[in-house]
Amino acid sequence: MTQMEYAKKGKITPEMEYVAKSEGIDVKELMELVKNGEVVIPANKIHLSKNLRKLVGIGKNLKTKVNVNLGTSYDFINIEEEKEKLKISIKYGADTVMDLSTGGDLRKIRKELMEICEIPIGSVPVYEAEFNAAKEKGSIFEIEIHAKDGIDFMTIHAGITLEGIRFMKNQGRTTWIVSRGGGLLAAWMLFHNRENPLLENFDDILDICKTYDITISLGDALRPGSIADSFDRPQVHELLVLGELVDRCRKANVQVMVEGPGHVPLNEIQAQIILQKKITRNAPFYVLGMLPTDIAAGWDHIAGAIGGALAGWFGADMLCYLTPAEHLGLPNVEHVKEGLIAFKIAAHIADIAKGIKSAYEWDLAMSRARYSLDWENQIRLSIDPQKAKQIREERTTKTVACSMCGPFCPMNLIEKFVEDAKKAREEVKAILEKSLKEV
């Protein structure tokens, strides 16, 4: 049975218990959220039986999650580099990863990544299927192969239709299709003048996903690739189709989340979240960005984190990171680290705004460590302790403060007059121990 089936029967699974404990919520509350389709727990039965150790819940009342994209390309086929990207992603707290490889032996790459992947992993089967499988079998064959390999969640671009493509052509978009999977399907659909094979065979896809308890991530093939296209007719049309597919998934007891834009100006982010949640009956929302400007090449991880923080605050449940290489090329290991940390910060900012208790307590512990000039705990509480320590050591000081203020540090000047300074340090340690268990 799937997690949703167990929840509908009122049965609490070990996976639900794990997620509830890591989130600090009541497991019965979590079970209800899974039952209603407002939370998903991506966990393929095969991956669970092997090395899936760090489960995550994605959805309502939970911490904002961050996904990292990995994978080879036509120009760069280096499985060892992809393994390093995966390792750095796990080290710095990625909640999920996706293998988006398009170059080399794709199944071999996927299997080697899965051998060391202890967090949920997703894929996009249509990349591997490309046109031949789509033409002959509607990509169903590749979906089943990915399922048997242990993939926990799959992006399925079943929402793009011939009508949606017509809307796009008639509207004259600035950037037509920027989704790789969507582009493959659209090209095939136009060449054969046939409807989306993933949509036509959606019941078969549901059967496969139910067998392995794979979470479907409904892809947004017509997402805006520029802020000029945000909220246009093709995007909204596809969202309406995805809303219907969410209902079909839930009826079949298949876990489902919905992917969303994309390039969206800041003033439209809240409306995007509200519309998506309404149309999909509060399905978990997996945001690709959001990227509120088109001109930040080389710094898209920063621009995307700004949009991502707002999206998370307004209700997005998982952020797909961007790296400095976005729009420019395949990211290297350092790019992956920079992008992940930027989006972990964005997710944490969103969690504070959402009222997530553990997020607030983490910041409180840092503030108290700063006030008591407790450098050891300041570094430990940093989202990137290695970098914090490096900067502290490189820009050292002769005082107990930092080299910015030195002897004029207001905390240093006042601390000697604070009677309970020692008590404050003890409180920091207590909060730290509690926070590290919950964060």
Side-chain angles (χ1 to χ4, degrees), residues 405-434:
C405 294
F408 307 107
C409 171
M411 298 182 186
N412 185 27
L413 287 170
I414 295 175
E415 186 197 33
K416 58 187 175 184
F417 298 107
V418 180
E419 295 180 355
D420 60 349
K422 184 176 180 180
K423 181 181 178 182
R425 287 194 177 92
E426 295 301 320
E427 289 179 355
V428 169
K429 292 180 180 179
I431 293 173
L432 173 64
E433 293 177 358
K434 181 180 179 182

Side-chain angles (χ1 to χ4, degrees), residues 229 231 393:
D229 297 330
F231 260 140
E393 292 176 347

